Amino acid sequence: MKQRLLLFDTILDGHHPEYLIHLIGYYSSRPEVDVIVATGASFQEEFTKRQKAEQLVWGDNIQFYSIPEHLIVKGNILLRSLREWNLMLAIAKETQANQAVLMYMDYFPLGAIMGNKAAVPVAGISFRPPREIQGPFDFVKHKMWQSMLASGQITRVFSLVHSAVAVLNALAGERRALPLADPVIQLPLSASQIADFRLKHAIPNDKKVYLNFGQLDQRKGIEGFLLACKQKSPAELNQICLLLAGPIEPAYQAHIESLLGELPDLEVIKLFDHLHYPTIELCFEVADVVLVTYQGHMGMSSVLIRAALAGKPVIGTSMGTIGATIDAYQLGLSIDPSNAFEFAQALTGKLKTNAALQSEFVRQNSVEAFVLTIAQGIESLS
């Protein structure tokens, strides 16, 4: 029987377009597998733009399934877990899929426990899997995931947090979880592209450029950087440039603009938009330091990998996987971004990196490693 694979994703930002595009590209060269990509209508439009802009070639075996906007639950996580689990199974039945992958399975423990019975094997990518128990929240999460894994509804877990694999397998009572690479790609840049980008956006050559890249929201630690800047003298601030690159909600943009108004000596370049290649790589190329100062984020970030690809040091949170990765691969400096004094010290301190370890970190997070782990991980179940 021909494999018909459903990729289900209702989240429209962050890693999600990249992960789906990597899998679409991989399966485009495997016509023996039909792939149904179930996403929101706006997401499908985004894919079409990306395909044209990056001249991506996709196979005839790739089919998009547009999920009506009113079926995508916003806000209530428990309701979303149940409704979207049942929606995923309904789409699998309608499209005659015989394998499904939840591109963000962290929403679905309740759905898998209390929702409809899966008629096909279901795998999932976990961004925030259970960790070692450190408090009541961790205990409750362990119980939820243990029940989900015991239900038999989830056949494979791909964990972006590698240290959680042992925890997941212990909860499952068998080897059901695999570590998953967090992939990024690098396209070649010409000297003229870099020069044109610098000229277009007035990127200074005589200042240290700090890049904060991605979905610019409260998690990204922008406020922490600005508080650290308040510890600096006007002369010191004149040596710093902040590059903010990525989409931002209007209300949060107004908040950040208000804070920036209190720092007239800080040069700020704003690229408030959904960015694509080669603009993404150009942002990292012109940066001197990359900021990965998430607030309350325990998982991984592909920004770390992009920085390593570009050979740039990072200042990042000491919490969770990001902090552990920075230290293990000597990618820069891990700090407490809520400590304005410590952050300010990092802005003028020397950042050390290890080129060999940077390269090893990049190798471990290649696109090939990502797609093969998923493809082989689900094929081993059939």
Side-chain angles (χ1 to χ4, degrees), residues 337-369:
S338 66
N339 185 320
F341 178 77
E342 184 179 351
F343 207 152
Q345 291 293 104
L347 296 183
T348 50
K350 189 168 183 180
L351 301 176
K352 294 181 179 179
T353 59
N354 183 309
L357 289 176
Q358 272 185 329
S359 297
E360 174 60 18
F361 177 57
V362 169
R363 187 193 66 77
Q364 291 178 8
N365 288 283
S366 67
V367 171
E368 183 182 28

Side-chain angles (χ1 to χ4, degrees), residues 102-359:
L102 297 168
M103 299 299 292
Y104 187 88
M105 70 171 295
D106 302 87
Y107 278 153
F108 293 101
L110 186 65
I113 296 166
M114 300 183 64
N116 294 336
K117 183 67 177 175
V120 299
V122 179
I125 298 174
S126 177
F127 288 68
R128 298 184 180 184
R131 58 180 181 177
E132 297 291 347
I133 296 176
Q134 299 177 14
F137 176 79
D138 294 323
F139 178 79
V140 172
K141 190 168 185 175
H142 269 239
K143 289 298 182 185
M144 286 285 289
W145 278 68
Q146 189 172 38
S147 296
M148 174 177 67
L149 294 169
S151 72
Q153 298 271 60
I154 300 294
T155 54
R156 177 75 74 208
V157 180
F158 302 105
S159 177
L160 288 161
V161 181
H162 295 187
S163 61
V165 170
V167 175
L168 288 165
N169 286 330
L171 291 174
E174 60 181 336
R175 187 175 179 270
R176 209 180 300 178
L178 298 172
L180 183 65
D182 192 356
V184 297
I185 60 172
Q186 186 178 41
L187 301 176
L189 296 174
S190 67
S192 62
Q193 281 178 301
I194 298 167
D196 290 346
F197 184 78
R198 280 191 173 276
L199 183 64
K200 178 180 178 180
H201 298 290
I203 310 290
N205 288 303
D206 58 346
K207 295 184 179 184
K208 186 175 284 189
V209 178
Y210 290 87
L211 170 65
N212 196 316
F213 169 83
Q215 186 77 29
L216 300 175
D217 53 28
Q218 290 180 326
R219 298 180 314 145
K220 298 291 286 186
I222 302 171
E223 293 97 327
F225 179 88
L226 299 181
L227 285 172
C229 286
K230 284 190 171 184
Q231 311 292 314
K232 299 295 184 183
S233 68
E236 288 174 315
L237 284 182
N238 272 313
Q239 301 303 309
I240 293 174
C241 174
L242 174 62
L243 173 56
L244 295 172
I248 188 170
E249 292 295 327
Y252 189 63
Q253 180 179 347
H255 170 62
I256 293 300
E257 298 279 10
S258 174
L259 296 178
L260 291 174
E262 301 171 11
L263 292 163
D265 297 300
L266 175 67
E267 182 175 0
V268 182
I269 297 167
K270 306 161 193 170
L271 303 183
F272 292 152
D273 200 359
H274 287 276
L275 304 177
H276 305 305
Y277 299 106
T279 305
I280 293 172
E281 290 184 5
L282 286 163
C283 287
F284 283 82
E285 178 62 34
V286 301
D288 295 296
V289 180
V290 178
L291 300 169
V292 200
T293 48
Y294 286 85
Q295 297 288 328
H297 179 75
M298 299 303 293
M300 180 55 174
S301 172
S302 61
V303 177
L304 276 179
I305 306 160
R306 292 191 187 280
L309 265 172
K312 301 302 170 73
V314 304
I315 297 175
T317 178
S318 57
M319 292 179 63
T321 303
I322 290 175
T325 303
I326 292 171
D327 295 342
Y329 291 94
Q330 298 178 32
L331 303 176
L333 183 64
S334 60
I335 63 166
D336 176 1
S338 66
N339 185 320
F341 178 77
E342 184 179 351
F343 207 152
Q345 291 293 104
L347 296 183
T348 50
K350 189 168 183 180
L351 301 176
K352 294 181 179 179
T353 59
N354 183 309
L357 289 176
Q358 272 185 329
S359 297

